[in-house]
Amino acid sequence: MTVTTVTTSPIDGQKPGTSGLRKKTRVFMQRHFLENFVQSIIDAIGGVEGKTLVLGGDGRFFNDRAAQVILRICAANGAAKVIVGRDALLSTPAASNLIRKRAADGGFIMSASHNPGGENADFGLKFNGANGGPAPESLTARIHDRTREITQYRILETQDADLSQPGTTSMGGMEIEIVDPVADYAALMEQIFDFDAIRTLLEGGFTLRFDAMHAVTGPYATEILENRLGAAEGSVVNATPLPDFGGGHPDPNPVWADQLMKVMMGRDAPDFGAASDGDGDRNMIVGRGIYVTPSDSLAVLAANAHHAPGYMAGLSGVARSMPTSRAADLVAEKAGIGSYETPTGWKFFGNLLDAGKVTLCGEESAGTGSDHVREKDGLWAVLLWLNILAARKQSVAAIMRDHWEEYGRNYYSRHDYEAVPAEDANALMDRLRGRLDDLKGQEFSGMTVEAADDFAYRDPIDESVAEHQGIRIAFTDGSRIVLRLSGTGTEGATLRVYLERYQPADGKLDLPVQDALSPVVAAAEEIAQIRKHTGKDAPDVTT
Ligand code: VG1
Ligand code: CO
């Protein structure tokens, strides 16, 4: 086996976005592309000589090939050991857990998360550090710089490693340990949650449906929900991970998980429904006849986490991404604990979690998690909900009702405009930035603007600053509009418009969501001229 140093040329425009680098699969499959990017990561972290790394992915098309390339590059760069999930599978939270549990120096996660998979769809690669969390901005900037100056990569000329059975093998001088992707993760869940209480709930006739959307959570959910907790066989649907996710879009929201929504809103709906995304870090929660917005879910989990053994002592604080509704802030305020507002993307929660400032974090995009790992965690959120349902012995609808009657209701929705030409989307944002100062005090749909800014975040721990994280427009009645461009798309720009309207506990708690938000929607159109800029009359996706 020989190490070859391949001469290559820099790759341009490979700026990792909200979460890792995402491109069309065919771009990743181009000659030298993946190799260049992996070597750039290795160079940016100061090499991997003698280091231990974790490797796994969500099973999408090219997952198996990419894993072999990454192994050969790690071996050629002198890594001591790589711990790989069987068949190169690992959900994102399971990878985060493995990095932490095995005190590895970091890990590669092959996923484009909620983006569709396949030869004509998307692929992605993320690097997580020794704390198990996504690379911070400073590191992604170094990786990006490196991709623009790289001239060579090192790769071992060798046969593929057989990753189909747990055990140990080697590649050159590097050890490869193949592990069951589910085992360590399931053990962690058993430590955090009251499995006996959930088992009793299920034995009592409580029914559930978990839609794995043909993505990576299938094996995790089947083992934990059906095998260990005793949910009826068949409770986990679309449970086999497929390279193209069955042609679907593994994004757990009411639009892409419409199959589940239909069942949950139907006459024979089970008590509880949930779905997860491509790499298993997101969750959608639905009760019989009621969809729980991710922002509300974060608030309910924060208010009730003490029902689970892992959080019995209470929470140190709660963090949410800026566009996420302020429902969780109200819970934190009442509980007298800290609350934080961070830019979009899990990487911004890492320092707060490491410093013990927060226990729970969440995003409006269906990501919820805690200090048990350093990623959002779909199945964890499902188990916390089940633990709470088992303890409170109430339906999802009743729990939501109680919550709103205590804290008031933050009506919330996100409107996405997809595949907008980048220059049009940028023109919309630039125009808004130019008039932020004028907005203050103006009236739209009967609501008065209290404040408008372009969100900038100073990390309270390392004081790093992230600017231009989205336009926030707050109204005096507690309503809010946020606009930002997605950092995970691979086609044109996606404009995300986040809409929120607050009703106090004695206000109207039963309005249809889009009705409640209609004045806010009208204000957003008036302020941002979305139709004119996007050429679209309506959003492509409403969550
Ligand atoms: C989206 C979500 C964001 C999430 C990110 C990665 O980013 O809005 O909340 O952290 O995806 O999630 P953007 O830039 O497209 O809005 V995952 O599950 O796709 O890794
Ligand atoms: Co994901």
Side-chain angles (χ1 to χ4, degrees):
M1 275 180 277
T2 48
V3 172
T4 314
T5 302
V6 182
T7 306
T8 180
S9 40
I11 44 178
D12 202 27
Q14 310 317 323
K15 192 161 171 50
T18 314
S19 170
L21 180 68
R22 289 181 204 192
K23 291 277 161 192
K24 291 287 164 206
T25 310
R26 285 188 196 279
V27 172
F28 263 104
M29 290 168 71
Q30 277 166 18
R31 209 166 125 78
H32 302 321
F33 187 95
L34 174 66
E35 291 85 343
N36 268 348
F37 189 59
V38 174
Q39 185 70 56
S40 296
I41 293 172
I42 290 175
D43 295 347
I45 60 171
V48 292
E49 181 100 48
K51 290 184 180 173
T52 296
L53 298 156
V54 166
L55 170 65
D58 62 14
R60 69 180 61 221
F61 186 88
F62 194 51
N63 189 88
D64 49 351
R65 297 308 317 145
Q68 298 291 341
V69 170
I70 295 169
L71 286 171
R72 283 157 55 203
I73 295 180
C74 287
N77 281 275
K81 177 173 178 173
V82 179
I83 303 166
V84 196
R86 181 180 19 80
D87 293 326
L89 285 180
L90 280 177
S91 74
T92 289
S96 182
N97 178 46
L98 263 184
I99 294 171
R100 295 167 66 79
K101 192 164 176 184
R102 301 299 206 85
D105 298 285
F108 294 95
I109 304 173
M110 302 171 289
S111 172
S113 190
H114 60 285
N115 297 28
E119 198 168 358
N120 295 313
D122 296 346
F123 190 78
L125 185 62
K126 316 188 255 192
F127 182 79
N128 284 26
N131 73 343
E137 296 264 281
S138 54
L139 176 55
T140 55
R142 283 207 303 281
I143 295 170
H144 182 216
D145 289 345
R146 188 65 194 148
T147 59
R148 293 195 291 193
E149 59 192 31
I150 188 168
T151 54
Q152 54 186 42
Y153 64 84
R154 293 159 67 77
I155 190 158
L156 194 72
E157 303 285 331
T158 183
Q159 301 290 315
D160 282 359
D162 178 2
L163 304 177
S164 65
Q165 299 295 333
T168 302
T169 174
S170 65
M171 186 179 266
M174 181 180 84
E175 184 187 339
I176 299 178
E177 182 187 342
I178 301 142
V179 298
D180 178 313
V182 179
D184 290 285
Y185 178 82
L188 177 65
M189 294 301 114
E190 287 197 340
Q191 274 170 31
I192 299 176
F193 300 114
D194 187 346
F195 271 41
D196 287 338
I198 302 175
R199 217 174 279 125
T200 307
L201 175 77
L202 290 163
E203 274 165 11
F206 182 97
T207 51
L208 66 87
R209 181 181 177 94
F210 180 95
D211 192 335
M213 302 186 85
H214 293 299
V216 79
T217 44
Y220 293 85
T222 306
E223 171 61 20
I224 294 172
L225 299 175
E226 293 188 10
N227 299 349
R228 299 197 185 193
L229 289 169
E233 215 183 301
S235 300
V236 180
V237 299
N238 299 322
T240 308
L242 299 174
D244 67 347
F245 306 124
H249 201 133
D251 192 349
N253 63 45
V255 176
W256 297 116
D258 58 336
Q259 233 187 45
L260 176 68
M261 286 298 287
K262 226 183 247 149
V263 173
M264 295 307 298
M265 299 302 143
R267 262 204 303 170
D268 302 317
D271 295 297
F272 181 81
S276 192
D277 71 334
D279 60 333
D281 55 4
R282 295 192 186 194
N283 70 91
M284 177 172 98
I285 303 295
V286 207
R288 178 187 290 139
I290 181 171
Y291 166 68
V292 181
T293 70
S295 293
D296 272 351
S297 178
L298 174 65
V300 169
L301 294 182
N304 292 280
H306 60 272
H307 289 296
Y311 308 100
M312 231 163 51
L315 311 176
S316 61
V318 182
R320 62 165 173 86
S321 67
M322 182 272 281
T324 304
S325 96
R326 296 183 284 198
D329 302 7
L330 302 175
V331 174
E333 203 177 299
K334 192 157 189 179
I337 57 174
S339 66
Y340 297 82
E341 182 177 43
T342 60
T344 295
W346 211 260
K347 59 186 160 200
F348 293 103
F349 293 134
N351 281 345
L352 293 170
L353 289 164
D354 284 348
K357 297 255 182 227
V358 298
T359 312
L360 247 56
C361 307
E363 294 194 277
E364 56 67 42
S365 53
T368 334
S370 86
D371 58 0
H372 69 292
V373 288
R374 289 295 178 274
E375 285 279 4
K376 52 191 186 272
D377 188 344
L379 207 44
W380 167 90
V382 170
L383 291 167
L384 182 49
W385 262 99
L386 289 174
N387 199 146
I388 291 165
L389 290 164
R392 290 188 49 171
K393 302 184 171 62
Q394 282 175 294
S395 69
V396 173
I399 286 179
M400 292 317 300
R401 182 84 218 170
D402 280 2
H403 190 88
W404 295 329
E405 281 174 357
E406 183 168 357
Y407 297 96
R409 179 169 182 187
N410 297 71
Y411 286 99
Y412 188 85
S413 178
R414 188 180 87 200
H415 292 186
D416 286 343
Y417 297 81
E418 295 179 340
V420 179
E423 59 274 22
D424 296 339
N426 287 324
L428 182 150
M429 294 300 284
D430 289 343
R431 179 179 158 278
L432 266 182
R433 280 197 190 97
R435 44 192 307 254
L436 288 175
D437 292 340
D438 304 338
L439 287 176
K440 203 171 160 194
Q442 280 199 51
E443 199 176 293
F444 299 93
S445 316
M447 310 179 309
T448 309
V449 176
E450 184 172 46
D453 71 353
D454 187 356
F455 182 54
Y457 176 69
R458 178 185 288 274
D459 186 295
I461 311 301
D462 68 14
E463 310 231 303
S464 60
V465 175
E467 291 181 302
H468 306 301
Q469 297 297 316
I471 306 282
R472 299 190 287 191
I473 303 163
F475 295 88
T476 50
D477 70 349
S479 299
R480 204 167 67 127
I481 300 169
V482 172
L483 297 103
R484 60 178 282 279
L485 300 184
S486 156
T488 58
T490 58
E491 261 175 62
T494 294
L495 170 70
R496 302 202 197 281
V497 184
Y498 308 85
L499 308 146
E500 177 177 355
R501 187 174 170 206
Y502 181 65
Q503 282 286 304
D506 58 1
K508 294 187 180 126
L509 301 178
D510 285 322
L511 298 173
V513 176
Q514 299 300 327
D515 290 358
L517 290 171
S518 66
V520 189
V521 174
E525 175 57 35
E526 206 182 326
I527 294 170
Q529 300 183 349
I530 299 164
R531 273 189 212 143
K532 187 178 135 207
H533 283 94
T534 63
K536 293 173 189 251
D537 284 337
D540 297 288
V541 175
T542 296
T543 66

